[in-house]
Amino acid sequence: MAFMIGTLVAAALPPPLRMTFRILVGWNIAAWGYLVMIAWLMATSSPEKVEDIAQREDASALGVLFIMSLASALSVVVIILELATVKQVTGALRLGHFLFTGLTVVGSWLLVIAIYTFHYALLYYRSPPGKRALRFPEEEPDPNYWDFMYFALTIAVAAQTSDVSVATRSMRKAVMAQSMLSFFFNVVIIGLTINVSASLLG
């Protein structure tokens, strides 16, 4: 629903606006709308509901994960193209430009964490009860979305798994994929921060 609304808004914006700007507006509406709905789901889901959702996910879940990850990465490419036009504006408009692109990067970064949170829940609850894909501290038998988000967020910010152990090959593949994607985002965020700071100081 969120991405359908974002696509419709991007298509409805007047043609004189740059295509990159229209894409980023639609992407922001979609990404942040999705994150709000995900936050609500996480806040209201018991471990039993988390397991039920994971068991009901169909075979397309891996494809969705790939598409969403690729879309998040491509949003960064669009951001770079949009920032290339910043030299044409000055003052408050330039600052607004930077804030908008910064919001887009953060939204894409959080989106990656959110989709991997759900993927980790799927892999965990689809693994045999006696050989779960993850081992949480204190042998937590029924983790909820906050536990899986803790795991995904730790990988995103620290490139390590902290106190949660990875126990299966499929989970190791997923962790490796998120680690590489998160490294890409972290490098981009640092690069854009330096670029924007230098531009503002200049």
Side-chain angles (χ1 to χ4, degrees):
M1 183 185 299
F3 286 90
M4 181 178 66
I5 294 172
T7 301
L8 291 174
V9 170
L13 290 174
L17 292 173
R18 289 184 306 277
M19 178 58 71
T20 53
F21 180 78
R22 294 163 64 187
I23 291 173
L24 290 181
V25 169
W27 174 257
N28 271 283
I29 292 173
W32 287 102
Y34 180 80
L35 289 170
V36 168
M37 288 187 281
I38 289 302
W40 173 255
L41 178 63
M42 289 178 58
T44 57
S45 294
S46 63
E48 293 76 20
K49 185 175 180 181
V50 174
E51 181 175 6
D52 180 60
I53 292 173
Q55 295 293 353
R56 286 191 285 109
E57 288 287 340
D58 58 22
S60 66
L62 187 60
V64 171
L65 176 73
F66 174 77
I67 292 171
M68 295 289 284
S69 299
L70 180 61
S72 297
L74 289 177
S75 71
V76 175
V77 176
V78 180
I79 288 168
I80 294 172
L81 293 175
E82 181 66 15
L83 282 176
T85 66
V86 77
K87 294 179 181 179
Q88 303 172 11
V89 297
T90 57
L93 191 58
R94 170 177 283 199
L95 180 60
H97 213 79
F98 287 140
L99 291 175
F100 177 65
T101 51
L103 183 70
T104 308
V105 172
V106 172
S108 298
W109 183 74
L110 290 175
L111 185 64
V112 170
I113 295 172
I115 59 178
Y116 271 94
T117 294
F118 279 84
H119 190 61
Y120 293 144
L122 183 151
L123 292 177
Y124 180 89
Y125 281 112
R126 285 194 172 180
S127 56
K131 191 182 178 182
R132 292 299 195 186
L134 291 173
R135 295 195 182 99
F136 289 89
E138 301 178 358
E139 298 300 324
E140 172 59 58
D142 300 307
N144 59 22
Y145 282 130
W146 295 109
D147 296 306
F148 294 113
M149 174 162 277
Y150 163 76
F151 181 65
L153 186 61
T154 301
I155 294 170
V157 301
Q160 62 180 6
T161 57
S162 187
D163 55 348
V164 181
S165 301
V166 180
T168 65
R169 182 174 296 169
S170 58
M171 184 62 79
R172 282 192 288 273
K173 290 179 180 178
V175 168
M176 183 172 63
Q178 192 205 346
S179 298
M180 291 188 294
L181 192 56
S182 296
F183 178 77
F184 166 74
F185 268 98
N186 293 341
V187 169
V188 168
I189 289 171
I190 292 172
L192 287 178
T193 300
I194 294 173
N195 184 277
V196 169
S197 298
S199 179
L200 290 175
L201 289 174

